[in-house]
Amino acid sequence: MLKSTLKNDIPAGIVVFLVALPLCLGVALASGAPLFSGVISGIVGGIVVGLLSKSQTSVSGPAAGLAAVVLASITQLGSFDVFLTAVLLAGALQLGFGLLKGGFVASYVPSNVIKGLLASIGILLILKQIPHAIGYDKDAEGEFAFFQPDGENTFSELYQMLDFINLGAVVISIVSLFILIGWDKTPLKKFKFFPSSLFVVLLGVALNELFCVYVPVLCIEQSHLVNLPRIDTNDLASYLHFPKLSHLSDYRVYTTAVTIAIVATLETLLNIEAVDKIDPHKRESPPDSELVAQGIGNMIAGVLGGIPITSVIVRSSVNINAGNKTKLSAIFHGIFMLISVLIMSPVLNKIPLASLAAILLMTGYKLAKISLFKTMFQKGWPQFIPFIATILAIVFTDLLIGVLIGLAISIFYLLRSNYENPFTQTTERTSAGKVIKFELSEEVSFLNKAAIKSTLWRLPKYSKVVIDATYSKYIDPDVLEMLDDYQTTFAPENDITLSIRGLPLKN
């Protein structure tokens, strides 16, 4: 069993590591933090969170969604070391939230919003990786904001890149994409220990080496390759930063810690919900256990000099697409990142960013397939509109704001549905005349109060009314109070003959 698992998880771990490494560096750069801090968080997210997490698919590390928060926090606190104190405290808050079973909030995010989140990440991957695929690497990997550090935005960048096309990168990207698309149609798909993603990375390195020797015009320069800083293994301590606990009396440290804890917790809960949906085995990631793992991970990251960690959809999606079986792939990715820092930087710095862009483009396509849009459209406007709104909001703002907008629109449709469907109304002809019958639904919440009250209070004088709650399992106290007012006051004063079944109201 272990041998079968390792056959899938080790190659998947390698692929995730290759994709995660430039993302860790890119997020650190966008955060205004030391580059090595991103690598530290990647190692901690892989090994520590991977060991503690009960999710079989989630991969953790520094997240693009926190880059703006980190940059603003470091600027406000005036020191990266003081910021690390806030990261340590944020981890403790997450740990406490997990121990208090606070992860249940993830269950209240509607499916249409989660699917919108996945599709938007897919679209962003495609939009953000196209420049890297043609050799325009002005913005670092891992940058997902609409407004970019170079002054461009997601769409204007696609226009700017046309003046900076690198033919070698284009060739490697196109070849890589053809291989990734056609891999499953070849006998090579049987070799689970050698996934297509790993093959295109090795092929990209080989092609560029051949270009540099035989076709110099296609040779890709170092600025378009992975750029892992060289580490002096004899002086590793100089790369570490430690929190300044003497600043625990500074209230700004606590406000920063609360902000990081809230954002990191929400992103993690959303991500594991989303990743569970694309897991081919449909396994469930316990949210409380995940928050405990993330909290401990962020505490360790804060102590060692890393930026905040969350579960990350991009890496997790790559992990699933690479054919992982268990959480060992996430742990291996952290181990490989640690090894790379110590001994492998000269080799890794030969990998073209175009090869990694091809992998992420393919991941983006799988997350945002046209079939997903068709399926959501067929479910009707109440499902489709929040789905599309979530996508547009995330693409044009960021992940959290986009999800909140999607949630707001989804709640609007929920309220409207509850307003319209709290009961069924029928009219019966009896010997006593026309009787209006209301049969309350199985669950009647306070959200239904307005619809019920509006309907009952509009009935004309001298009506004969029956309210049947026989099949209702739960009726909110606010609704009961309203029905009691109707029975004792409004109905008698308007000469309405009322009969209520199944409710212990006053007579």
Side-chain angles (χ1 to χ4, degrees), residues 108-110 112-113 382 385-387 389-390 393 400-416:
Y108 291 93
V109 181
N112 51 12
V113 174
I385 290 179
F387 167 75
T390 302
L400 278 182
I401 292 176
V403 167
L404 290 175
I405 290 173
L407 273 174
I409 295 174
S410 190
I411 289 171
F412 165 78
Y413 277 100
L414 173 66
L415 291 172
R416 196 178 77 165

Side-chain angles (χ1 to χ4, degrees), residues 315-335:
R315 276 159 253 190
S316 303
S317 301
V318 171
N319 187 35
I320 292 171
N321 291 334
N324 94 299
K325 291 296 183 184
T326 71
K327 67 177 184 176
L328 285 175
S329 58
I331 298 171
F332 281 127
H333 120 274
I335 293 172

Side-chain angles (χ1 to χ4, degrees), residues 124-312:
L124 278 174
L125 277 176
I126 293 170
L127 294 174
K128 295 290 187 179
Q129 290 302 317
I130 287 176
H132 294 295
I134 69 167
Y136 184 56
D137 302 302
K138 190 171 182 180
D139 280 304
E141 290 278 6
E143 191 281 309
F144 285 97
F146 181 71
F147 295 105
Q148 301 176 169
D150 63 355
E152 302 295 335
N153 62 52
T154 301
F155 295 102
S156 66
E157 184 87 346
L158 298 177
Y159 175 76
Q160 290 293 326
M161 74 181 184
L162 298 177
D163 295 327
F164 299 92
I165 296 176
N166 183 296
L167 290 179
V170 172
V171 171
I172 288 177
S173 296
I174 291 175
V175 171
S176 298
L177 284 171
F178 271 114
I179 291 171
L180 291 168
I181 293 169
W183 186 267
D184 286 343
K185 299 177 183 178
T186 70
L188 292 172
K189 69 175 184 179
K190 297 178 182 178
F191 300 100
K192 300 299 183 183
F193 59 89
F194 193 51
S196 57
S197 303
L198 180 56
F199 179 80
V200 299
V201 169
L202 297 176
L203 180 64
V205 173
L207 283 176
N208 192 47
E209 291 296 312
L210 290 173
F211 291 160
C212 292
V213 175
Y214 298 106
V215 195
V217 70
L218 296 180
C219 183
I220 301 176
E221 301 173 358
Q222 183 59 52
S223 60
H224 303 300
L225 306 177
V226 170
N227 188 19
L228 179 63
R230 292 182 180 272
I231 303 298
D232 183 359
T233 55
N234 296 318
D235 188 24
L236 289 175
S238 65
Y239 298 95
L240 301 177
H241 291 260
F242 303 98
K244 286 190 175 181
L245 299 181
S246 58
H247 286 258
L248 283 173
S249 58
D250 187 344
Y251 76 93
R252 295 177 302 172
V253 170
Y254 292 93
T255 57
T256 300
V258 170
T259 302
I260 294 171
I262 292 173
V263 177
T265 295
L266 289 175
E267 285 211 15
T268 291
L269 292 175
L270 289 169
N271 289 344
I272 61 171
E273 279 284 313
V275 172
D276 283 351
K277 284 195 175 297
I278 59 174
D279 176 15
H281 304 290
K282 302 302 177 186
R283 290 163 293 188
E284 182 182 6
S285 302
D288 298 323
S289 299
E290 188 66 26
L291 289 182
V292 169
Q294 296 288 339
I296 294 173
N298 272 318
M299 291 174 72
I300 294 175
V303 169
L304 296 179
I307 52 182
I309 296 167
T310 73
S311 170
V312 187

